[in-house]
Amino acid sequence: MNTAKQVIVIIEDDPQIGRFLRTSLCAHGFQLFIAETGERGLLEISMRKPDLVVLDLGLPQMDGITVISKVREWSNLPIIVLSARSQESDKVLALDTGADDYLTKPFSIGELLARIRVSLRHSAQVAGDGVGALFCSGDLRVDLSRRSVHVNDKEIHLTPIEYRLLTVLIRNFGKVVTHRQLLLHVWGPTYVEHAHYVRIYMGQLRQKLEMDPAHPRYLLTEAGIGYRFADIGL
């Protein structure tokens, strides 16, 4: 019995990169559709109903940020930005607009495949009603129904803000969550300019949850952008 291939739409105006992605991703079992403009990309997404989109930002006519914004009007489809733009401001804008991940060119196909796998796992989890009542990763266990947190079977006391910060990251595990998104969901809209709040409470969380807070396994920093809860499995 044949298993249906997962579908990826690539929106990229560089034919050479498009060919490289087609060859590489098809070799790993994906079905690829490529569009060279934002408008054509939106049409391909509508027609193909893909599992994931890989998107360049510097597109002719309609840029990638506009594409992300338009897709987010009707879909939570995973979007990975693949762009030569390496400024933190570009990354933050794309992620705040609704991209799930951001990879800069030049890139390795191995890293892109890893990011694709993480995004697809997260998407499947969300489709199954999100993170379950019990979230486990490594030696960390979070019971979302009981609001309890254990590390190596030892219960860890978190303050209400620490707990909210942790659960926002868990519900987006494997994804980059920007400072602004964390401030909005944990503290509220009047605090979105107070990025130091996130740094302070993230430091406290690491002290409580990480074996070595200076070299965290779970709560990873995306420099200048935000944080990611690492998808390290059990």
Side-chain angles (χ1 to χ4, degrees):
M1 179 173 149
N2 293 328
T3 302
K5 293 182 177 181
Q6 290 176 301
V7 176
I8 297 177
V9 166
I10 306 290
I11 309 177
E12 169 63 65
D13 66 333
D14 185 326
Q16 186 173 356
I17 293 178
R19 287 192 297 271
F20 172 70
L21 289 173
R22 181 187 294 279
T23 301
S24 302
L25 296 180
C26 286
H28 284 83
F30 295 102
Q31 184 177 6
L32 267 288
F33 296 95
I34 298 180
E36 295 187 353
T37 67
E39 292 91 337
R40 182 65 196 180
L42 290 172
L43 183 59
E44 290 287 342
I45 293 169
S46 177
M47 291 191 305
R48 309 297 182 182
K49 303 296 189 291
D51 297 285
L52 181 138
V53 171
V54 176
L55 170 71
D56 189 13
L57 293 184
L59 299 168
Q61 300 172 10
M62 179 189 293
D63 69 9
I65 295 296
T66 303
V67 173
I68 296 169
S69 179
K70 287 184 176 294
V71 171
R72 285 293 174 255
E73 291 175 1
W74 58 275
S75 175
N76 289 321
L77 173 71
I79 299 173
I80 297 177
V81 171
L82 183 61
S83 175
R85 298 179 186 176
S86 59
Q87 294 294 318
E88 290 176 2
S89 57
D90 292 316
K91 297 178 182 180
V92 170
L93 177 59
L95 292 163
D96 275 341
T97 304
D100 294 271
D101 207 344
Y102 196 112
L103 191 60
T104 55
K105 301 173 183 175
F107 63 98
S108 75
I109 194 63
E111 183 174 6
L112 177 59
L113 283 164
R115 302 289 184 99
I116 287 172
R117 288 192 293 268
V118 167
S119 291
L120 290 174
R121 280 198 297 273
H122 180 263
S123 179
Q125 186 81 13
V126 170
D129 294 326
V131 174
L134 185 63
F135 177 85
C136 299
S137 182
D139 54 15
L140 174 67
R141 188 174 81 254
V142 181
D143 189 327
L144 296 168
S145 61
R146 299 188 179 188
R147 299 174 64 88
S148 66
V149 179
H150 290 77
V151 175
N152 283 326
D153 296 323
K154 177 184 177 182
E155 186 164 9
I156 306 298
H157 173 72
L158 299 183
T159 67
I161 288 179
E162 289 169 350
Y163 181 78
R164 287 202 299 272
L165 182 59
L166 177 62
T167 56
V168 170
L169 290 166
I170 283 175
R171 294 184 186 281
N172 292 278
F173 72 93
K175 294 173 56 176
V176 179
V177 186
T178 67
H179 295 114
R180 183 180 180 85
Q181 289 167 336
L182 288 169
L183 287 162
L184 181 63
H185 290 293
V186 177
W187 284 271
T190 59
Y191 291 86
V192 294
E193 303 303 325
H194 296 74
H196 64 285
Y197 283 18
V198 182
R199 289 193 293 272
I200 292 169
Y201 279 91
M202 188 62 66
Q204 294 173 187
L205 264 183
R206 284 173 170 162
Q207 289 294 329
K208 294 181 178 182
L209 303 182
E210 300 281 4
M211 183 178 299
D212 181 359
H215 301 90
R217 292 193 303 156
Y218 303 114
L219 306 170
L220 305 186
T221 299
E222 295 286 339
I225 303 170
Y227 297 90
R228 181 201 304 266
F229 193 100
D231 182 22
I232 67 172
L234 299 178

